[in-house]
Coordinates of all heavy atoms in Angstrom, one line a residue:
A271 N -38.0 -8.2 -38.4 CA -38.9 -7.5 -37.3 C -39.2 -6.1 -37.7 O -39.2 -5.3 -36.7 CB -38.3 -7.7 -36.0
N272 N -39.4 -5.7 -38.9 CA -39.6 -4.4 -39.3 C -38.4 -3.4 -38.9 O -38.6 -2.5 -38.1 CB -40.9 -3.8 -38.7 CG -42.0 -4.5 -39.5 OD1 -42.0 -5.4 -40.2 ND2 -43.2 -3.8 -39.3
T273 N -37.2 -3.7 -39.5 CA -36.1 -2.9 -39.2 C -35.8 -1.8 -40.3 O -35.8 -2.1 -41.4 CB -34.8 -3.8 -39.0 OG1 -35.1 -4.7 -38.0 CG2 -33.6 -3.0 -38.7
L274 N -35.6 -0.6 -39.8 CA -35.2 0.5 -40.7 C -33.7 0.7 -40.6 O -33.2 1.0 -39.5 CB -35.9 1.7 -40.4 CG -35.5 3.0 -41.3 CD1 -36.1 2.8 -42.6 CD2 -36.1 4.2 -40.6
W275 N -32.9 0.5 -41.6 CA -31.6 0.7 -41.7 C -31.4 2.2 -42.3 O -31.7 2.4 -43.4 CB -30.8 -0.2 -42.7 CG -31.0 -1.7 -42.2 CD1 -32.1 -2.5 -42.3 CD2 -30.1 -2.5 -41.4 NE1 -32.0 -3.8 -41.8 CE2 -30.7 -3.8 -41.2 CE3 -28.8 -2.3 -41.1 CZ2 -30.1 -4.8 -40.5 CZ3 -28.0 -3.3 -40.4 CH2 -28.7 -4.6 -40.2
V276 N -30.6 3.0 -41.5 CA -30.4 4.4 -41.9 C -28.8 4.6 -42.1 O -28.1 4.5 -41.2 CB -30.9 5.4 -40.8 CG1 -30.6 6.8 -41.2 CG2 -32.4 5.2 -40.6
S277 N -28.4 4.7 -43.3 CA -27.1 4.6 -43.7 C -26.6 6.1 -44.1 O -27.2 6.6 -44.9 CB -26.8 3.7 -44.9 OG -25.5 3.7 -45.2
M278 N -25.5 6.5 -43.4 CA -25.0 7.9 -43.6 C -24.2 7.9 -44.8 O -23.2 7.1 -44.8 CB -24.2 8.3 -42.3 CG -25.1 8.4 -41.1 SD -24.1 9.1 -39.7 CE -23.1 7.6 -39.3
N279 N -24.4 8.7 -45.8 CA -23.6 8.9 -46.9 C -22.6 10.0 -46.6 O -23.0 11.0 -46.0 CB -24.5 9.2 -48.2 CG -25.2 8.1 -48.6 OD1 -24.8 6.9 -48.5 ND2 -26.5 8.3 -49.0
S280 N -21.4 9.8 -47.1 CA -20.5 10.9 -47.0 C -19.7 11.1 -48.5 O -19.1 10.2 -48.9 CB -19.4 10.7 -46.0 OG -18.7 9.5 -46.3
E281 N -19.9 12.2 -49.1 CA -19.3 12.4 -50.4 C -17.8 12.8 -50.2 O -17.4 13.4 -49.2 CB -20.0 13.7 -51.0 CG -21.4 13.4 -51.3 CD -22.1 14.7 -51.9 OE1 -21.4 15.5 -52.1 OE2 -23.3 14.6 -52.2
P282 N -16.9 12.3 -51.0 CA -15.5 12.4 -50.8 C -15.1 13.9 -50.5 O -14.2 14.1 -49.7 CB -14.9 11.9 -52.2 CG -15.9 11.0 -52.7 CD -17.2 11.6 -52.3
E283 N -15.7 14.9 -51.3 CA -15.2 16.2 -51.1 C -15.7 16.8 -49.7 O -15.3 17.8 -49.2 CB -15.7 17.1 -52.2 CG -17.2 17.2 -52.4 CD -17.8 16.1 -53.3 OE1 -17.1 15.1 -53.4 OE2 -18.9 16.2 -53.7
A284 N -16.8 16.1 -49.1 CA -17.3 16.5 -47.9 C -16.7 15.9 -46.7 O -16.9 16.5 -45.6 CB -18.9 16.3 -47.8
G285 N -15.9 15.0 -46.8 CA -15.3 14.4 -45.7 C -16.1 13.4 -45.0 O -17.4 13.3 -45.3
H286 N -15.5 12.7 -43.9 CA -16.2 11.7 -43.2 C -16.7 12.1 -41.9 O -16.3 11.6 -40.8 CB -15.4 10.4 -43.1 CG -14.9 9.9 -44.4 ND1 -15.6 9.4 -45.4 CD2 -13.5 10.0 -44.9 CE1 -14.9 9.1 -46.4 NE2 -13.7 9.4 -46.2
H287 N -17.4 13.2 -41.8 CA -17.9 13.8 -40.6 C -19.3 14.4 -40.8 O -20.0 14.1 -41.7 CB -17.0 15.0 -40.4 CG -16.9 16.0 -41.3 ND1 -16.0 16.0 -42.4 CD2 -17.6 17.1 -41.6 CE1 -16.3 17.1 -43.2 NE2 -17.4 17.8 -42.7
F288 N -19.7 15.0 -39.7 CA -21.2 15.5 -39.7 C -21.2 16.8 -40.5 O -21.1 17.9 -39.7 CB -21.7 15.6 -38.2 CG -22.0 14.2 -37.7 CD1 -21.4 13.9 -36.5 CD2 -22.8 13.3 -38.3 CE1 -21.7 12.6 -35.9 CE2 -23.0 12.0 -37.8 CZ -22.5 11.7 -36.6
S289 N -21.5 16.8 -41.7 CA -21.7 18.1 -42.4 C -23.1 18.6 -42.0 O -24.0 17.8 -41.5 CB -21.7 17.9 -43.9 OG -22.8 17.0 -44.3
L290 N -23.4 19.8 -42.3 CA -24.7 20.4 -42.0 C -25.8 19.7 -42.7 O -26.9 19.3 -42.1 CB -24.7 21.9 -42.3 CG -24.1 22.8 -41.2 CD1 -24.0 24.2 -41.8 CD2 -24.9 22.9 -39.9
P291 N -25.7 19.5 -44.0 CA -26.8 18.7 -44.7 C -27.1 17.3 -44.0 O -28.2 16.9 -43.9 CB -26.4 18.6 -46.1 CG -25.3 19.7 -46.3 CD -24.6 19.9 -45.0
L292 N -25.9 16.6 -43.7 CA -26.2 15.3 -43.1 C -26.9 15.4 -41.7 O -27.8 14.7 -41.5 CB -24.8 14.6 -42.9 CG -24.9 13.2 -42.2 CD1 -25.7 12.2 -42.8 CD2 -23.4 12.6 -42.1
L293 N -26.5 16.4 -40.9 CA -27.1 16.6 -39.6 C -28.6 16.9 -39.8 O -29.4 16.4 -39.0 CB -26.3 17.7 -38.9 CG -25.0 17.4 -38.3 CD1 -24.4 18.7 -37.8 CD2 -25.1 16.4 -37.1
H294 N -29.0 17.7 -40.7 CA -30.3 18.1 -40.9 C -31.1 16.8 -41.3 O -32.3 16.7 -40.7 CB -30.5 19.1 -42.1 CG -30.2 20.6 -41.5 ND1 -31.0 21.1 -40.7 CD2 -29.3 21.3 -41.8 CE1 -30.5 22.4 -40.4 NE2 -29.4 22.5 -41.2
D295 N -30.6 15.9 -42.1 CA -31.3 14.7 -42.5 C -31.3 13.7 -41.4 O -32.6 13.2 -41.1 CB -30.5 14.0 -43.6 CG -30.8 14.7 -45.1 OD1 -31.5 15.7 -45.0 OD2 -30.1 14.3 -46.0
L296 N -30.3 13.6 -40.5 CA -30.4 12.7 -39.4 C -31.4 13.2 -38.3 O -32.0 12.4 -37.7 CB -29.0 12.6 -38.7 CG -28.0 11.8 -39.6 CD1 -26.6 11.8 -38.8 CD2 -28.5 10.3 -39.7
R297 N -31.4 14.5 -38.2 CA -32.4 15.1 -37.2 C -33.8 14.8 -37.6 O -34.7 14.3 -36.9 CB -32.2 16.6 -37.0 CG -33.1 17.1 -36.0 CD -33.1 18.7 -36.0 NE -33.2 19.4 -37.2 CZ -33.1 20.7 -37.3 NH1 -32.8 21.5 -36.3 NH2 -33.3 21.4 -38.5
A298 N -34.1 15.0 -39.0 CA -35.5 14.9 -39.4 C -35.8 13.4 -39.2 O -36.9 13.1 -38.8 CB -35.5 15.2 -40.9
V299 N -35.0 12.4 -39.7 CA -35.3 11.0 -39.5 C -35.5 10.6 -38.1 O -36.4 9.9 -37.8 CB -34.2 10.2 -40.2 CG1 -34.5 8.7 -39.9 CG2 -34.1 10.5 -41.7
G300 N -34.6 11.0 -37.2 CA -34.7 10.8 -35.7 C -36.0 11.2 -35.2 O -36.6 10.6 -34.4
Q301 N -36.3 12.4 -35.4 CA -37.5 13.1 -34.9 C -38.7 12.3 -35.4 O -39.7 12.0 -34.6 CB -37.6 14.5 -35.3 CG -36.6 15.3 -34.4 CD -36.6 16.8 -34.9 OE1 -37.0 17.2 -35.9 NE2 -35.9 17.6 -34.0
A302 N -38.7 11.9 -36.7 CA -39.9 11.2 -37.2 C -40.0 9.8 -36.6 O -41.1 9.4 -36.2 CB -39.7 11.1 -38.8
L303 N -38.8 9.2 -36.2 CA -38.9 7.9 -35.6 C -39.5 8.0 -34.3 O -40.2 7.1 -33.8 CB -37.4 7.3 -35.7 CG -37.0 6.7 -36.9 CD1 -35.4 6.5 -36.8 CD2 -37.7 5.5 -37.3
Q304 N -39.0 9.1 -33.6 CA -39.5 9.3 -32.2 C -41.0 9.6 -32.1 O -41.8 9.3 -31.2 CB -38.8 10.3 -31.6 CG -37.3 10.0 -31.2 CD -37.2 8.9 -30.2 OE1 -38.1 8.4 -29.5 NE2 -36.0 8.2 -30.1
A305 N -41.6 10.0 -33.3 CA -42.9 10.4 -33.3 C -43.8 9.1 -33.8 O -45.0 9.3 -33.8 CB -43.1 11.5 -34.3

């Protein structure tokens, strides 16, 4: 049914949390989806 899977990557040295680069990417994708 036209499903977009958005998978968060975490590099080992960055830890398994919301780094600034990951947050920027998720914001951009989320805002585009809402638009």
